Amino acid sequence: MGNKKKLINDLLNRIDGGVEVAASYLGLSISAFNDRRYENKGTRFFSGDELLALQNLSKTALVAEFYAEQAGCLVVTKMKAEQLENFDLYMMSLEAAKANGAVATAIHDAIANDGVIDEQEAEDIRNKTDVANKLNRTLSENTINLHKKATN
């Protein structure tokens, strides 16, 4: 995902109303929001709580994904069992299969071209693998969640 300024831009792209709504949500003027955003005039960047508030407003997991990436981890979306049906799991399995196929295709194409995987091809394979891992883990967690034995 990159740096923290890109994180803010990605959040703003997902918030209906953009900067104006985000600034108002945090109780800031647009100029104060932008000062924090760009760390102008000696201002500090947004706090963790403010970033989480913007994440909630954007209805994404971008902040969680940003910090997970920094730690070399993946964020897995877990749905509540009452939100899930077997059809949802089937659709998740199709997405996971598609992502696994993209990994296999990237590896195949890299090797088929010249028998060597260069750094750009390796990065593409790693990125596709990260996506596939996330989708496979999401499918597994949600399957467990839907079908686990209730414990009291």
Side-chain angles (χ1 to χ4, degrees):
M1 177 175 287
N3 64 38
K4 60 188 179 180
K5 289 180 177 84
K6 183 178 181 327
L7 169 62
I8 292 296
N9 290 335
D10 290 345
L11 286 166
L12 291 173
N13 287 335
R14 294 292 205 43
I15 296 171
D16 290 333
V19 175
E20 294 83 7
V21 170
S24 176
Y25 191 73
L26 296 179
L28 300 170
S29 68
I30 293 172
S31 63
F33 183 92
N34 284 329
D35 285 343
R36 302 268 294 281
R37 179 180 179 185
Y38 300 112
E39 297 176 289
N40 291 336
K41 304 175 187 172
T43 57
R44 64 172 174 79
F45 194 69
F46 300 97
S47 70
D49 287 340
E50 290 167 329
L51 289 173
L52 289 175
L54 293 175
Q55 175 178 268
N56 290 337
L57 186 61
S58 71
K59 297 180 179 89
T60 68
L62 290 171
V63 175
E65 290 170 356
F66 174 81
Y67 286 112
E69 183 179 301
Q70 302 299 312
C73 299
L74 292 174
V75 173
V76 176
T77 304
K78 290 173 128 178
M79 297 172 69
K80 294 182 179 173
E82 56 271 9
Q83 295 174 304
L84 284 169
E85 296 179 2
N86 282 319
F87 178 76
D88 298 315
L89 298 177
Y90 173 70
M91 293 305 292
M92 287 179 198
S93 73
L94 291 177
E95 288 297 319
K98 180 177 153 186
N100 290 329
V103 172
T105 299
I107 292 170
H108 173 270
D109 291 350
I111 294 171
N113 286 337
D114 56 10
V116 176
I117 297 176
D118 64 31
E119 195 51 46
Q120 183 177 0
E121 292 166 328
E123 188 62 26
D124 182 50
I125 292 166
R126 287 184 192 106
N127 289 337
K128 285 178 170 52
T129 300
D130 286 346
V131 170
N133 287 342
K134 180 178 178 179
L135 291 169
N136 283 310
R137 183 64 188 263
T138 299
L139 172 62
S140 297
E141 289 296 331
N142 285 304
T143 300
I144 292 165
N145 196 19
L146 180 60
H147 295 284
K148 72 180 173 187
K149 182 177 179 181
T151 56
N152 291 329

